[in-house]
Amino acid sequence: MRTSRRIAIAVGSALLLLGSAVQASAAPSPEIMSIEQDLQQNDHTIGSQIRRVEGDTSTHESKAKAARPQPEAGVLATVAGMDVASYQKNVDWAYWWGQGKRFVWAKATEGTSYKNPYFAQQYNGSYSQGFIRGAYHFALPNVSGGAAQADFFINNGGGWSKDGKTLPGALDMEYNPYGATCYGLSQSAMGAWIRAFHDRYQARTGRWPVIYTSTSWWSTCVGTSQNFGGTVPLWIARYASTVGALPYGWGFYTVWQYTSSPLDQNTFNGAYDRLQALANG
């Protein structure tokens, strides 16, 4: 009887071990789990919160209009571009080059802990295809200071080099995906946070960052507390037929993100040689 019980226990233990081995072999690798977790929890693409709050009313006609020179800026040509994040995974850059896109910003970082797991393919792959490319940082002003986030961004792909194909890094300022619209900061505190990022980025790279935002968010969270129009190229988000009013301090925009459908699309407000000039500093 005792022998039978020992056999049963041994068989049961073997089955448990076998089951554990099967489950272990079927479990996703840490790398896959990390990427999937990123897509579920940290995929805050540039403009995602602006679209969530302000909506996207772009149409076929408004998209066509955005691609034409903007008479209010007095330019003679525009350049088509795009932006990407981990949501796009590995991007087919040859395809988008064939669609006429010539510049791109890829998400590099968020806050002081998140790094886009697809950044290398997106940043280096676009460069190899011929794109003028840059990196962007999704700001979380409530988790750490502006200088600290500029350092994290620069240390993880957001720097700049004078190679004619690298755009200055972009600071993404938009609605808080986790809570209060202005991250619990007053207008003066938010303006000071952006100023700290702006100054640290310039001190380390020799370039002022591009600032991405919407007029509505900026008016609510920054207001007139700071004026960056003299140093910073403006990347404005508005998914409509016109850019509309610009945030305080800017008299013109450099880039317009005019739709989020079927992906974030942008137009550079000038000819290709002016885009090259922005890259060259």
Side-chain angles (χ1 to χ4, degrees), residues 97 102 125-132 165 272:
W97 183 267
R102 291 296 180 265
S126 57
Y127 183 94
S128 297
Q129 183 62 47
F131 282 79
I132 296 178
K165 293 175 66 176
Y272 189 76

Side-chain angles (χ1 to χ4, degrees), residues 23-47:
Q23 290 176 4
S25 65
S29 69
E31 180 182 5
I32 293 174
M33 290 180 68
S34 174
I35 291 172
E36 290 305 315
Q37 186 178 32
D38 161 65
L39 293 174
Q40 293 172 16
Q41 298 179 9
N42 300 299
D43 189 24
H44 301 125
T45 61
I46 199 165

Side-chain angles (χ1 to χ4, degrees), residues 111-180:
T112 47
S113 60
Y114 168 76
K115 295 181 285 186
N116 173 9
Y118 291 96
F119 179 73
Q121 190 277 342
Q122 295 174 351
Y123 191 73
N124 297 326
S126 57
Y127 183 94
S128 297
Q129 183 62 47
F131 282 79
I132 296 178
R133 52 79 156 112
Y136 76 83
H137 173 77
F138 192 102
L140 296 179
N142 59 329
V143 303
S144 57
Q149 292 197 29
D151 284 335
F152 183 72
F153 178 46
I154 294 166
N155 293 342
N156 292 283
W160 174 79
S161 58
K162 191 178 176 68
D163 57 11
K165 293 175 66 176
T166 302
L167 295 164
L171 173 61
D172 178 4
M173 301 300 308
E174 58 183 285
Y175 300 91
N176 182 3
Y178 302 105

